[in-house]
Structure formats: structure tokens, C-alpha cells
Amino acid sequence: MLYTNYHTHSYHCNHARGTPEDYVRSAVERGMQILGFSDHVPYPFSNGHRSGFRMEPQEHRVYVREIQELQAKYQDRIQIYIGYEAEYYPDEFAAMITNINQYPWDYLVLGQHFTHNEYDGIYAGGKKAVEEEHLVQYVDQVIAGMETGYFSCVAHPDLIRYRKDEHVYQREMRRLCGKAIQLQIPLELNFLGLSSGREYPYEPFWAMAGEMGASVIFGCDAHTPEALNDEETYRKAQAIQQKYGLRVQETLTLRSPKKGTPQ
Ligand SMILES: [Zn+2]
Ligand SMILES: [Zn+2]
């Protein structure tokens, strides 16, 4: 039984189906106690770049208001949080934080879908295997993101597909896991990857995370309301948990240092 989920999308990001309320209903039906929304954050890029897979600026206010209304409406049945899934883009991060600080929010999930600043990097979630330099850059950026203190967990840390040299993979991912352990930031075992047969969860990564003793959180990465109610995928995740002795925590410590501008 999954009681919490902090990785939830909605129609606001333009590639997920259903309103926030559809997701709340599905979570309540399953008997969940905590549902966090983490739609792809609006990123006000300095050069006007548009992502296509994230909330547009004009959706932002509606997203927050809808979730606030749901918090009130369902307060006796489920705890609901306002969050975002965001990349750490060094040149754009501070402006993104300033932008989301216009409204209340509870937490950020670090989902590093691109390297550098998106418009000048590579897509980390591609089907094509990447080179060592891209893996190193990805890990550097996930670590820098964790070090900002803004992120409560790392979504699909094993998203990037580097398969050339297992020693290099282990070396780099050990850096990522080690930093997560040091900063007590859980790593997410991603259900969307599991249910849609993606390259992640990548078992060698989880073998290492288990051996190192990293904290793990399950994340539905729901892009449909039904994904919150998918027992088969939950059982697959539990099998991985057992196989590698993963320490799974149910609730997240929410970090939202709202004061000041990040460096
Ligand atoms: Zn998405
Ligand atoms: Zn996601």
C-alpha cells in the first residue's frame, strides 16, 4: 500500500492528462494520506527559450490556485502539497526561484532532464546512450542542485543512459549517491519508468544505492490519474526494494528555503 506520493503532474504541463482534482480523487480512492503536486516548473529563461514540456507562465497562477482550493476542499481526507519538478540550470536557477516565490510552495523535486541550461545542453532522458562527458556533467549538475538546499529529493537519478564503461558509470553515480547520503536527500525509484519499460530504473544503479545505504523514496511520476492507483507497478518497485535492500522512506522532509536568492 502506497500512502504518499510527491511526484504528480497534471494537464498544466501539456503532456499529462487530467486536472489536479482528478489526481486527488484517485489518491483518495487508493487511501493515500499525502499527495504532492510536482508539475514541471515554469522556467523564465533569460533568452526567451521555450521548453514545450513545462507549465507556461500564464498557467502558473491557475496551478497554484487550483491546488489551494483542493487543499481546502479535501482537508479532512488527504494532505496536499504544492510543489514543482525542476532542473538545476546554473544560469537560470535564481530567476526561476524568484518567479515561484510569487506564490506559496512547499517543495521542489530535482528532475534533471537536460544538462547545462537546457538550451545549451543535451537531453539527459534520451534513448540514445550518452558519452562520458555528458554523464560527468549530469552528475556535477545534480550535485550542484542538491547543494543549493532547495531540493527535497532527486527524481529518477538513473535517468541518464550511459552504458559504455561500467567503471565510469559506477565512479560517477557513486559521487551522486554519496552526496545524496551526505545531505540526507532521498533518491526516487521512478514508477513511470517501471510501468512504461524505460531504461530506468536501471538496476545496477539501485544495487549501488542499496549497498551504499542511500535513502530511497517511491515516486509515481503520475501523468494520468490512474497512475496513482497502479498496484502492479508498486509490486515491481517492492521487488527491486527487496532485491537490493533499499531503505525506502514514506514521507519527505520538505525543504523550501524561501528567503533570499540562491547563488
Ligand atoms: Zn512530465
Ligand atoms: Zn516527473
Side-chain angles (χ1 to χ4, degrees), residues 9 15 40 223:
H9 296 276
H15 64 270
H40 298 277
H223 284 72

Side-chain angles (χ1 to χ4, degrees), residues 9 36 68 80 92 94 97 99 102 119 122 126 145 161 198 205:
H9 296 276
Q68 285 175 324
I80 299 170
E92 308 287 343
I97 293 291
N99 184 52
Q102 295 178 79
Y119 47 77
I122 63 139
R161 187 176 172 199
R198 296 186 183 185
F205 176 89

Side-chain angles (χ1 to χ4, degrees), residues 60-77:
H60 191 187
R61 182 195 292 272
V62 187
Y63 173 71
V64 175
R65 196 180 52 221
E66 278 186 13
I67 299 172
Q68 285 175 324
E69 286 169 6
L70 294 168
Q71 286 174 325
K73 184 171 172 183
Y74 288 87
Q75 60 177 332
D76 298 335
R77 280 170 281 178

Side-chain angles (χ1 to χ4, degrees), residues 7 9 13 15-16 39-40 53 85 113 192 221-223:
H7 195 161
H9 296 276
C13 67
H15 64 270
D39 226 337
H40 298 277
F53 69 96
E85 178 173 12
H113 300 100
L192 180 62
D221 198 354
H223 284 72

